[in-house]
Amino acid sequence: MVTLNNYFDTPEFNDAVVGFCEHKKQIPVLREVNDKLNGFFCEMALATTSHPEIKYTIQRVQYQYHLQRISEINSSLILCLREEKYISVEALSRVSLESTVNFLYLLGEEDNERASGFLKGYFKKNKYKARKWLEHSLETEDQKGIEQSSRLLESMDNGLASLQHKKNSKLKMWPDTIVQKFSAVNLKGAYFTLFASSSDSVHHGAEDVYNRTIVEQLDKKEKDKAIKYMMAENASFAIYLAVCSIEYSAEVFREFCHKLKEEKYLDALSRIQEKLYALHMAHENHHVDLFK
């Protein structure tokens, strides 16, 4: 039976490290794929300014913003991968994935009920924050804080009022939780396997600290090998998250093209998705091999 003491000298250990390191070769391919996808996002962001299939200004602005947001975040993912900033990649992958889910949720509206609900949710949430800020400022007799929080509260009330000018408008409130958003676009599995799995990197990094603490208990020979394994695995995991994030971004762009009847992108997009799927499966297959 393989124990911690002799695992580092087994062929399985060497194969695992080699496999993780091999994934670094995906970075130039992922960069090339993302550059192509990024070009599509930028083209369509410009096209939204006068696109005939977008009926409402509130949609036009939000569609354009989400295209630009996802494009910029994914470009940052690639930059961090190239610079080996893997903790940043883990954090950014969550931002990319949630941005994609937000966009998918918006695209699922029948008219403009979700685009309106998006703004209403913002006003209500910021109104709550302003109220709490005002309460704290009153308790601490912070006059400047009282003035600023009061102005913010007033501006949120004005924003809410501006959404009520159409009596027949149908607002659909933005989901209260992130998992509700993922569920609404049939990506609840991605919430648990991708979004939640990288949450530790965003909030406190306890998992990394725990792993490093275990490594510190090993003797020098084992410690050196364990560090090598840990670094290779961290790099592989970051690449995997980036691949999956960009993969979902490609899918939201497909949904966007269908909604706006922009069929000209679909063939090239299919080729991009095939490449992303191949990169994705390289990780999945390696993971299966590790736990045979």
Side-chain angles (χ1 to χ4, degrees):
M1 181 177 179
V2 176
T3 65
L4 186 62
N5 291 331
N6 62 23
Y7 174 65
F8 299 114
D9 295 320
T10 63
E12 289 83 3
F13 170 79
N14 291 326
D15 289 345
V17 173
V18 169
F20 287 138
C21 291
E22 281 288 308
H23 294 154
K24 289 186 178 182
K25 294 179 181 179
Q26 293 185 342
I27 295 174
V29 181
L30 189 58
R31 179 191 180 190
E32 179 184 341
V33 168
N34 187 66
D35 284 348
K36 186 70 174 176
L37 187 61
N38 187 50
F40 295 164
F41 272 70
C42 292
E43 284 180 27
M44 283 307 301
L46 289 173
T48 56
T49 57
S50 57
H51 201 285
E53 293 296 326
I54 305 177
K55 293 167 59 178
Y56 303 99
T57 299
I58 199 170
Q59 289 176 323
R60 195 179 305 281
V61 171
Q62 290 182 46
Y63 291 176
Q64 184 178 74
Y65 171 76
H66 280 86
L67 287 166
Q68 293 172 334
R69 177 184 174 90
I70 294 170
S71 171
E72 183 173 324
I73 292 167
N74 288 350
S75 294
S76 298
L77 276 174
I78 300 299
L79 181 61
C80 288
L81 281 178
R82 294 175 64 199
E83 295 292 326
E84 299 185 349
K85 310 299 184 185
Y86 299 125
I87 294 174
S88 298
V89 173
E90 291 182 29
L92 280 171
S93 71
R94 278 171 58 94
V95 183
S96 174
L97 187 56
E98 187 175 0
S99 298
T100 293
V101 168
N102 287 341
F103 199 11
L104 278 171
Y105 186 76
L106 281 171
L107 293 175
E109 63 188 0
E110 294 180 7
D111 196 29
N112 69 339
E113 69 278 2
R114 291 183 177 180
S116 298
F118 177 87
L119 285 181
K120 186 173 183 180
Y122 159 74
F123 289 134
K124 291 191 72 172
K125 184 173 288 187
N126 250 29
K127 185 176 178 181
Y128 172 81
K129 292 178 183 177
R131 192 180 295 116
K132 290 297 181 182
W133 182 16
L134 177 58
E135 290 173 3
H136 174 73
S137 297
L138 289 169
E139 288 174 3
T140 57
E141 298 182 353
D142 177 4
Q143 191 59 41
K144 187 174 182 180
I146 292 171
E147 294 171 359
Q148 291 178 337
S149 59
S150 296
R151 283 199 296 269
L152 179 58
L153 192 57
E154 182 181 2
S155 68
M156 292 302 101
D157 283 332
N158 291 337
L160 277 169
S162 71
L163 291 176
Q164 298 171 359
H165 64 286
K166 289 185 178 180
K167 292 183 179 180
N168 295 327
S169 63
K170 182 177 64 173
L171 300 184
K172 185 169 184 178
M173 282 305 299
W174 202 250
D176 291 328
T177 65
I178 295 176
V179 69
Q180 286 177 350
K181 282 190 297 187
F182 276 77
S183 297
V185 296
N186 299 314
L187 289 179
K188 193 171 183 178
Y191 173 83
F192 292 114
T193 59
L194 296 174
F195 190 81
S197 66
S198 57
S199 66
D200 187 71
S201 299
V202 175
H203 298 298
H204 41 53
E207 182 178 351
D208 287 335
V209 171
Y210 171 68
N211 290 335
R212 294 183 188 191
T213 301
I214 291 177
V215 168
E216 288 297 319
Q217 311 306 312
L218 303 173
D219 63 39
K220 186 174 188 316
K221 181 181 177 182
E222 291 179 332
K223 181 178 177 180
D224 290 344
K225 291 184 177 181
I227 289 172
K228 182 178 180 181
Y229 180 95
M230 188 169 59
M231 292 176 65
E233 184 182 35
N234 287 346
S236 174
F237 182 56
I239 295 165
Y240 171 73
L241 289 175
V243 168
C244 292
S245 297
I246 295 172
E247 198 171 17
Y248 280 112
S249 299
E251 185 57 33
V252 77
F253 189 75
R254 178 174 292 278
E255 292 298 316
F256 184 66
C257 287
H258 284 314
K259 190 174 184 71
L260 270 61
K261 301 177 182 178
E262 288 285 352
E263 308 297 321
K264 64 183 180 181
Y265 292 101
L266 297 183
D267 286 343
L269 189 58
S270 292
R271 291 191 290 273
I272 285 173
Q273 290 182 292
E274 287 173 4
K275 290 183 180 180
L276 288 167
Y277 179 75
L279 296 177
H280 183 163
M281 289 310 298
H283 290 268
E284 299 292 352
N285 292 334
H286 180 237
H287 185 77
V288 169
D289 291 340
L290 281 177
F291 295 97
K292 277 184 178 178

